[in-house]
Amino acid sequence: MKPRITGLSIFALLSAILSVAKAVECPDNWITFHGHCYTFSINQTNWFHAAKTCHDLGAQLVIIETDVEDAFLKTTIQHLHAHDDPQTVGYWTGANDLDVEGHWVWGYPSDIVVRYTDWHAGEPNNNWAGKPEDCVVLWGQFNFGYQWNDQTCSNVDYHYICELGPGYELEVVG
Ligand SMILES: [Ca+2]
Ligand SMILES: [Ca+2]
């Protein structure tokens, strides 16, 4: 029997092609989640150097906008460090209040205000042995469970997560 091409089957075919065309293809070694691309650093460094490294990759330190994205990041960190002591693990995010104390933004300089938050109890406390804490880390220390802590930006080294910016979403397969 000769197959018949109906209007409906053409519509289904076009829909399938279009859904493929919308898929984001992340570069090698980047992880795709909900249309965004992430990479988790092997090395550890201070917040400023982490931000510059992400920038040099054409990306930015991660911007966390929803609880779903936050949960994905936590789960990925737990997976990557399944055999490590969480006390030793932290990942920088892009959140900081470097410009205006208590006014949290994503990136520096930036006017992207932090809306979704996942501060651990008692944070942000802006107190690193009496000095300010202006950069946000997903923290494993003190049973933080990778909830957010404000931490000194320059004096400690952590891993970091880079996220490819919105512009990258235009570079689709199709
Ligand atoms: Ca602060
Ligand atoms: Ca703190």
Side-chain angles (χ1 to χ4, degrees):
M1 192 172 120
K2 201 176 168 189
R4 289 174 56 214
I5 298 173
T6 64
L8 189 62
S9 64
I10 289 171
F11 175 77
L13 184 64
L14 282 174
S15 299
I17 291 168
L18 285 172
S19 71
V20 169
K22 277 184 203 158
V24 175
E25 188 175 79
C26 292
D28 288 349
N29 302 321
W30 292 65
I31 298 170
T32 313
F33 181 76
H34 286 201
H36 290 235
C37 306
Y38 305 84
T39 190
F40 293 70
S41 82
I42 305 284
N43 70 311
Q44 302 189 61
T45 186
N46 69 50
W47 188 87
F48 294 101
H49 189 249
K52 183 182 184 306
T53 304
C54 291
H55 185 259
D56 289 348
L57 292 171
Q60 63 211 333
L61 276 173
V62 67
I63 296 175
I64 308 171
E65 290 161 299
T66 65
D67 56 348
V68 175
E69 186 178 21
D70 201 36
F72 154 73
L73 299 171
K74 282 183 197 168
T75 304
T76 305
I77 292 169
Q78 282 160 353
H79 177 72
L80 291 171
H81 294 274
H83 303 294
D84 298 329
D85 180 358
Q87 296 290 330
T88 66
V89 181
Y91 277 82
W92 290 122
T93 73
N96 70 87
D97 71 340
L98 285 158
D99 211 14
V100 180
E101 177 55 35
H103 179 67
W104 295 94
V105 293
W106 295 110
Y108 179 79
S110 169
D111 54 8
I112 308 171
V113 174
V114 172
R115 302 201 182 278
Y116 168 81
T117 62
D118 185 27
W119 298 112
H120 192 265
E123 305 296 341
N125 62 351
N126 195 46
N127 185 356
W128 192 71
K131 292 178 184 163
E133 297 185 309
D134 294 343
C135 293
V136 174
V137 63
L138 306 180
W139 224 27
Q141 209 167 337
F142 303 129
N143 297 316
F144 266 52
Y146 305 114
Q147 281 191 295
W148 301 11
N149 175 32
D150 61 339
Q151 180 64 288
T152 171
C153 304
S154 334
N155 301 77
V156 288
D157 292 343
Y158 292 115
H159 300 281
Y160 49 95
I161 304 162
C162 303
E163 180 179 0
L164 282 171
Y168 190 81
E169 292 172 61
L170 300 173
E171 296 176 35
V172 294
V173 242

